[in-house]
Amino acid sequence: MNRGQEGLLPRTTTLADESYLDFVESFRRFNFSTMYPSFFEAGSEVVSRELGPEGDRAPLEDIQRVINTVPVARSWQRMMRSHQEMMWRRTRASFERDEADHLKSLDDAAARGPATLHVDPDFVVPEYARREIHLQPGGYTDDPLGGIVFHYGTKCFYQGYNDQDQHHQEFTDALKVPADGICARILDVGCSIGQCTRQLKTRFPDAEVWGLDVGLPLVRYAHKIACDQDVAVHYKQGLAEATGFEDDSFDAVLSYILFHELPVEIIEQVIPEMFRILRPGGTFTIFEFPNMPSDNLPAAQRFLIDYDSRNNCEPYSQAFVEFDFHGLIERSGFQLEPGQPCSNDFLQSLVLTKPA
Amino acid sequence: MVAMNSKDALPEGFGHEIYGPGKQFFDNAVLDNIMDAMLELTAALWTVQDRNLVLEQVLQEALQQDAQARADFDLQARIEDFRPDEALQARRLAAREELVKTVFGGFARKSEPQLKTNDR
């Protein structure tokens, strides 16, 4: 049954699903607030004891070998993987019960507007994008229910603190307006289910706001929500590396945690593409994973990044962390400066400006 | 408008990560299986406990209605439709966090490395 919404968030189709997923959310919080610190402390101790004071810079295989001798490390890895599997299985099962009505509501939105959806029937999703990122079944591209499943799944990911898109509001508020104050056309690149896109329209009601994403299930769902909320934005299925937009046609672009989900060779095309579509003086605001050589990190954190890459289907994040992203930005012609800090201090915040 | 039929559109290998063979983190896969079973059992226990909390609240509201309203009362629908107030939400959260801590807290205890284990 359709149990309606809780503000911006869809409710699961049964109370039992809601209870189960609430449990998963609490378990995730326990994993981060209790298990991870214990893992980090015990892992760091054993690395120091077994590999010496330079243990943080030891080969990753040696770090894994000694950290895996600590019982809490094995338990933490099992728990991380298990709760993520539970979250996706139950979320998808819940919304599958209402599948026919939900898919019809996506189609019906097209007739209502005021948002628009732009899909090229000949568009081919590149293979690099067809991964089950974060273990989501069908990933971002292949499950027709992927939008609503992603929405509720990320409720658990954010541990309830983004139920009403509070995090996205923070990133939207941080978008840097060009120095001349003109912000008439804005792109949310890698928009997913369009949370920032809709908020950008609220912040800039007179602007033409676009959301672009490779995942058709995501932009279809984004479009439906925008229609439900009477927000006149535009969504398009497309590639960040080949957007199809005209040269110099946007005043500002925003991206939130897009780049670590892309192979480096694609990132090397995306930055020049953003340079091409921004007009002189236009800005590109980025919130993203950090970039740093991995042997500068504590051993337990190196263990974590590798674990996440292999066991949470983050196939491209490790290469991104080690990539010279800032060098690429500057070689592409952008002026680079630090952006506004955000509450998630793991993320880097950047503002890129196309010289006027 | 592009229509997508879910069954036809699903690619081969859909859901491989969560419906596939899974991952092993302990030397003995039975330990992985036992921990998965513990998680599912605790989730099931919470689901029952949570339904009780909601049921009590719904029944409390029903008792305050007149006889005719109670006769027309669709308990199942009221439970599913129920929207808890902030006080009940806080009780649910506290009870859930306590259950997680009680069942799984022991795993976070520091423990000595088992260096003789044949590790990956």
Side-chain angles (χ1 to χ4, degrees):
Chain A
M1 67 180 285
N2 184 335
R3 296 168 71 230
Q5 302 276 131
E6 197 64 56
L8 298 177
L9 189 72
R11 300 179 85 196
T12 55
T13 55
T14 67
L15 173 63
D17 296 336
E18 179 184 318
S19 304
Y20 181 100
L21 290 164
D22 281 350
F23 168 81
V24 174
E25 189 178 303
S26 284
F27 188 78
R28 180 177 176 82
R29 189 156 35 249
F30 167 79
N31 241 350
F32 279 99
S33 65
T34 304
M35 288 296 292
Y36 183 71
S38 184
F39 154 78
F40 194 93
E41 185 181 344
S44 299
E45 278 177 16
V46 74
V47 165
S48 175
R49 190 160 64 237
E50 297 299 322
L51 301 178
E54 293 298 307
D56 285 347
R57 272 158 287 289
L60 181 61
E61 295 73 21
D62 291 344
I63 290 171
Q64 289 169 326
R65 178 175 52 77
V66 299
I67 286 184
N68 271 327
T69 64
V70 180
V72 70
R74 299 293 186 104
S75 303
W76 175 79
Q77 291 172 80
R78 176 72 270 163
M79 290 172 170
M80 286 295 290
R81 174 77 188 199
S82 295
H83 94 274
Q84 191 81 349
E85 291 186 2
M86 292 168 75
M87 183 263 284
W88 289 123
R89 276 197 293 263
R90 191 63 175 252
T91 302
R92 194 176 192 289
S94 185
F95 291 109
E96 194 175 27
R97 289 194 196 96
D98 193 34
E99 182 174 13
D101 286 348
H102 179 68
L103 294 182
K104 182 173 182 302
S105 76
L106 300 183
D107 286 335
D108 290 348
R112 280 189 287 131
T116 65
L117 177 63
H118 303 259
V119 177
D120 176 355
D122 296 326
F123 179 83
V124 176
V125 176
E127 279 306 309
Y128 80 77
R130 299 183 71 199
R131 302 295 299 271
E132 296 194 316
I133 300 284
H134 308 148
L135 315 188
Q136 180 173 350
Y140 299 153
T141 58
D142 288 351
D143 179 9
L145 290 175
I148 195 166
V149 169
F150 175 89
H151 195 177
Y152 206 89
T154 53
K155 166 187 166 48
C156 294
F157 171 83
Y158 288 113
Q159 298 170 44
Y161 299 124
N162 194 42
D163 286 4
Q164 304 304 319
D165 297 346
Q166 301 95 317
H167 281 305
H168 292 84
Q169 187 67 58
E170 180 182 359
F171 303 121
T172 305
D173 290 345
L175 178 130
K176 178 78 178 286
V177 174
D180 58 15
I182 298 171
C183 206
R185 198 165 187 243
I186 307 169
L187 173 64
D188 176 13
V189 63
C191 69
S192 181
I193 59 169
Q195 287 143 307
C196 285
T197 322
R198 292 185 294 276
Q199 291 172 345
L200 284 167
K201 183 66 178 174
T202 303
R203 182 178 166 196
F204 302 97
D206 297 328
E208 179 183 321
V209 180
W210 285 80
L212 176 90
D213 202 282
V214 68
L216 180 59
L218 303 186
V219 290
R220 289 187 79 207
Y221 181 69
H223 170 253
K224 176 214 180 278
I225 298 177
C227 292
D228 289 349
Q229 296 175 358
D230 200 28
V231 181
V233 291
H234 311 281
Y235 290 106
K236 175 178 175 177
Q237 183 189 27
L239 301 175
E241 63 271 31
T243 60
F245 292 119
E246 309 80 18
D247 292 356
D248 304 332
S249 60
F250 283 93
D251 299 294
V253 177
L254 174 68
S255 81
Y256 169 53
I257 54 174
L258 164 68
F259 288 97
H260 76 281
E261 307 288 16
L262 302 173
V264 163
E265 60 268 27
I266 300 299
I267 295 171
E268 288 172 331
Q269 299 167 46
V270 172
I271 293 294
E273 174 71 355
M274 294 301 109
F275 189 88
R276 183 185 70 76
I277 65 173
L278 274 169
R279 52 95 170 168
T283 59
F284 184 10
T285 303
I286 298 174
F287 289 95
E288 190 52 74
F289 273 29
N291 304 104
M292 63 188 78
S294 65
D295 55 5
N296 282 357
L297 297 170
Q301 202 164 345
R302 291 175 62 191
F303 184 103
L304 166 68
I305 291 172
D306 173 73
Y307 168 88
D308 196 46
S309 178
R310 287 185 294 109
N311 296 300
N312 194 29
C313 198
E314 284 277 23
Y316 312 120
S317 62
Q318 189 150 18
F320 175 77
V321 169
E322 298 191 9
F323 178 54
D324 180 16
F325 188 48
H326 294 194
L328 169 67
I329 289 167
E330 290 174 334
R331 285 195 302 278
S332 301
F334 279 114
Q335 294 167 345
L336 171 63
E337 60 183 314
Q340 189 173 309
C342 67
S343 58
N344 182 348
D345 58 11
F346 174 71
L347 300 178
Q348 62 175 323
S349 169
L350 303 172
V351 172
L352 286 52
T353 303
K354 182 172 177 175
Chain B
M1 187 63 228
V2 176
M4 298 176 72
N5 177 287
S6 72
K7 300 299 181 229
D8 294 343
L10 299 186
E12 193 176 343
F14 174 87
H16 175 78
E17 289 282 355
I18 61 169
Y19 302 119
K23 295 268 184 172
Q24 180 178 341
F25 297 99
F26 293 99
D27 292 333
N28 187 338
V30 173
L31 286 176
D32 290 85
N33 296 339
I34 289 172
M35 196 173 279
D36 274 348
M38 280 184 64
L39 268 163
E40 290 290 356
L41 278 170
T42 315
L45 173 63
W46 169 251
T47 301
V48 173
Q49 192 176 334
D50 197 31
R51 196 168 188 87
N52 272 346
L53 286 170
V54 171
L55 177 61
E56 286 171 6
Q57 192 78 20
V58 169
L59 289 178
Q60 187 67 37
E61 290 172 10
L63 287 173
Q64 292 162 9
Q65 297 181 329
D66 62 30
Q68 183 57 50
R70 287 204 300 274
D72 296 337
F73 202 83
D74 182 341
L75 184 58
Q76 175 77 17
R78 290 292 288 268
I79 289 172
E80 293 295 335
D81 287 343
F82 183 75
R83 290 177 188 265
D85 59 18
E86 282 188 18
L88 182 57
Q89 276 292 57
R91 277 178 58 207
R92 292 168 85 194
L93 175 63
R96 217 164 55 227
E97 306 272 313
E98 184 63 28
L99 177 66
V100 169
K101 188 174 147 194
T102 302
V103 176
F104 296 100
F107 287 100
R109 287 182 195 149
K110 276 202 287 182
S111 46
E112 283 301 305
Q114 299 173 325
L115 290 170
K116 289 179 182 170
T117 307
N118 180 22
D119 297 293
R120 289 184 295 273

